[in-house]
Amino acid sequence: MRREWSRARSLHSRRRRRRPSTPTPFDDVFRHLSTSVVGRIDGLRPVFDTGPILTIEPAREVEMGSITPYESAKGRRYRVRYRKPDRTEAEKRGFTTMREAKLYLSMVTVSKSKGEYIDPSSSRVPVRMFADSWLRSKQPPMSKPSYYMTLERAWKNHVAPVWADREISSIRRSEVQDWVSDLATQKSRTVVLRALGVLAGILDVAMDDRRLASNPARHVRNLPRHGPGKRRVYLSHDQVATLAACSAYPTLVLTLAYTGLRWGEATGLRVRSVNRLRRRFVIEENAVMIAYEIHVGTPKTHEKRSVPYPERLAPMIDQACAGKGPEGLLFGDEVNHMRNSGSKGWFANAVRRAQEFDPSIPRLTPHDLRHTAASLAISSGANVKAVQRMLGHASAAMTLDTYADLFDDDLDAVATRLNDQMPLVALPSGPQTRYARPQ
């Protein structure tokens, strides 16, 4: 027995000396080194110290699954069985080759190890299941009432008729592209992009619930391009004066045309919002009519701003404030917000009367007076940053993009100023005329 232990110890020492210094594929199963101690086996024979020996712990069993063949009407097929992360069993049938079955099982195993596994049965639900949840997340005060109304209409009119009953796992990006292309032939670019955004937002909810691996409504490549857009109306100073004289509310017309306030911002002004000393309006409320109801909230950009008004408008503003408390509305009957009743309202009647005096006045809406204010401010020499703050745009770039056509005259003015400063220098004659440096 002593000889056998000696031979085993010698063999173990030689193996340790031959062990390579670089890790081997089997190093992950060796956990630690331990030294044996003198003791007894079964209390009978002594055990001599053999020096350091390797203690091997069993490797963890990697749970993969199983692949079994079965016979079908179309021939031999393969079935893959595996356990889902919740330890319940699942299977997928119909693989025509063993290679396809192994590949699927490997993909499932990798996705489980990364925490990216998605149960196929959880994806067999209709789109409408997530629509209500997504729309609720967009309800006021999470978004503006007017914006929520457009989302709700897009869902009911364009998204729901096509996608409400479709299983989310069955939707392909090519189908979404076909739907977008077809809708673009009937509706404007804004309507198409809003409908696509609604579908993409709803499917994002499914992704957050780990029911989809990717969103087929995101990154659609071919989208409708920008069209020419609606032609903007710009009135002159004389046309604004004519329109105000023919209106039942001349102060409101002049305020819109010379401050650039939105309709809801102007009709939401209160007496406390008027700084008559500095001739400023403090814009902090916005009154919007939705489904014949007035909703009062923050301005479009959610930011309070200060807008100046001309000195010649000051007496009319003082008269509008007279006899009203701080919370009284500046325009109207002090209590109820003014409404614009469309083609039969006071503004449309004022336009028709003004056109009788000046046929050059085009058809316009109260919002066109906002464009007029931008035009008059730019023509008076105001810089882009001042116009941006007056209109309440998010950035000066947005102002430039919106009213780029109003800055065309500035290009001519730049060329004129450069021409005035350019020195008059005689150019040498010849086939290759060059600019002569001034002496």
Side-chain angles (χ1 to χ4, degrees):
M1 187 66 180
R2 184 187 301 271
R3 187 179 302 170
E4 292 177 358
W5 277 106
S6 178
R7 188 161 45 257
R9 181 177 179 179
S10 176
L11 178 61
H12 174 63
S13 299
R14 288 198 301 271
R15 286 180 177 175
R16 287 188 61 212
R17 286 195 298 270
R18 288 197 303 265
R19 199 171 75 175
S21 58
T22 58
T24 66
F26 301 99
D27 286 345
D28 57 348
V29 299
F30 297 106
R31 296 294 184 259
H32 61 274
L33 292 174
S34 64
T35 303
S36 64
V37 296
V38 177
R40 293 184 176 277
I41 299 178
D42 297 333
L44 299 175
R45 297 174 180 269
V47 178
F48 296 94
D49 183 8
T50 59
I53 63 172
L54 292 174
T55 303
I56 302 177
E57 293 182 1
R60 292 185 179 179
E61 180 182 358
V62 179
E63 186 178 341
M64 294 284 290
S66 62
I67 302 175
T68 56
Y70 67 95
E71 298 297 330
S72 66
K74 296 183 179 181
R76 172 165 289 195
R77 295 291 184 267
Y78 295 89
R79 176 193 298 111
V80 176
R81 289 192 175 96
Y82 59 92
R83 287 187 181 275
K84 297 185 289 186
D86 60 359
R87 310 299 297 170
T88 59
E89 292 187 358
E91 71 171 36
K92 185 174 178 61
R93 305 159 54 97
F95 296 99
T96 56
T97 62
M98 175 65 78
R99 182 177 180 276
E100 293 178 358
K102 289 181 177 180
L103 180 61
Y104 178 80
L105 182 57
S106 299
M107 293 172 58
V108 170
T109 304
V110 171
S111 64
K112 289 195 303 181
S113 65
K114 292 184 176 181
E116 300 174 354
Y117 175 79
I118 295 177
D119 188 356
S121 62
S122 66
S123 301
R124 292 193 288 268
V125 292
V127 173
R128 68 169 65 253
M129 176 178 174
F130 303 97
D132 292 339
S133 174
W134 184 79
L135 287 173
R136 281 195 300 270
S137 69
K138 299 296 181 179
Q139 285 181 340
M142 307 304 294
S143 61
K144 293 284 187 180
S146 56
Y147 176 65
Y148 175 75
M149 182 184 65
T150 61
L151 298 179
E152 193 175 32
R153 287 179 177 175
W155 162 253
K156 291 181 179 178
N157 297 335
H158 306 299
V159 181
V162 179
W163 304 106
D165 297 322
R166 282 288 300 272
E167 291 184 357
I168 59 175
S169 60
S170 68
I171 300 176
R172 299 291 179 264
R173 184 169 279 109
S174 59
E175 294 179 297
V176 177
Q177 179 66 74
D178 292 341
W179 171 63
V180 168
S181 302
D182 181 65
L183 190 61
T185 62
Q186 309 170 30
K187 301 296 180 181
S188 66
R189 180 177 186 270
T190 302
V191 173
V192 174
L193 295 183
R194 184 177 295 121
L196 178 61
V198 169
L199 177 61
I202 292 172
L203 295 182
D204 280 341
V205 178
M207 286 188 61
D208 293 341
D209 285 353
R210 304 206 54 78
R211 294 174 182 263
L212 277 180
S214 62
N215 190 336
R218 293 292 182 191
H219 310 297
V220 176
R221 295 184 178 180
N222 298 318
L223 297 174
R225 299 181 180 274
H226 285 283
K230 181 182 177 182
R231 184 180 64 89
R232 292 191 180 91
V233 174
Y234 304 117
L235 300 184
S236 65
H237 291 284
D238 292 337
Q239 289 174 329
V240 171
T242 301
L243 179 62
C246 296
S247 170
Y249 303 97
T251 305
L252 178 55
V253 171
L254 293 174
T255 299
L256 293 172
Y258 285 100
T259 63
L261 298 182
R262 300 177 178 89
W263 172 263
E265 293 172 345
T267 58
L269 284 173
R270 301 183 185 274
V271 174
R272 59 174 168 78
S273 304
V274 183
N275 187 335
R276 286 183 276 183
L277 183 62
R278 299 184 60 196
R279 296 192 304 276
R280 296 290 183 98
F281 294 131
V282 179
I283 309 303
E284 53 190 353
E285 287 187 4
N286 188 31
V288 182
M289 185 171 67
I290 302 174
Y292 303 102
E293 293 185 4
I294 299 294
H295 294 261
V296 179
T298 58
K300 187 175 182 179
T301 57
H302 300 281
E303 294 182 359
K304 183 172 68 173
R305 73 182 192 277
S306 179
V307 178
Y309 59 85
E311 185 176 359
R312 292 184 178 180
L313 191 58
M316 306 178 71
I317 297 298
D318 293 341
Q319 185 179 0
C321 294
K324 297 179 181 179
E327 296 298 322
L329 295 172
L330 183 63
F331 299 109
D333 61 0
E334 184 181 3
V335 177
N336 300 308
H337 292 85
M338 292 188 62
R339 297 168 180 254
N340 178 28
S341 302
S343 60
K344 297 182 180 180
W346 65 269
F347 188 84
N349 291 331
V351 173
R352 283 190 287 267
R353 286 193 295 268
Q355 288 173 336
E356 295 177 0
F357 289 94
D358 185 358
S360 66
I361 296 178
R363 292 183 57 185
L364 71 156
T365 65
H367 194 75
D368 290 324
L369 294 179
R370 175 174 169 83
H371 302 321
T372 295
S375 173
L376 298 178
I378 292 171
S379 63
S380 69
N383 61 56
V384 178
K385 196 65 180 177
V387 177
Q388 174 227 332
R389 294 182 60 184
M390 181 183 77
L391 299 178
H393 286 166
S395 64
M398 180 180 179
T399 304
L400 286 171
D401 291 341
T402 305
Y403 298 107
D405 56 319
L406 296 177
F407 292 91
D408 289 342
D409 295 339
D410 290 349
L411 296 177
D412 298 332
V414 169
T416 301
R417 288 193 292 269
L418 291 175
N419 180 75
D420 295 339
Q421 298 177 12
M422 180 178 178
L424 297 176
V425 182
L427 300 179
S429 60
Q432 294 183 350
T433 301
R434 295 184 300 174
Y435 183 79
R437 180 179 299 175
Q439 298 299 327

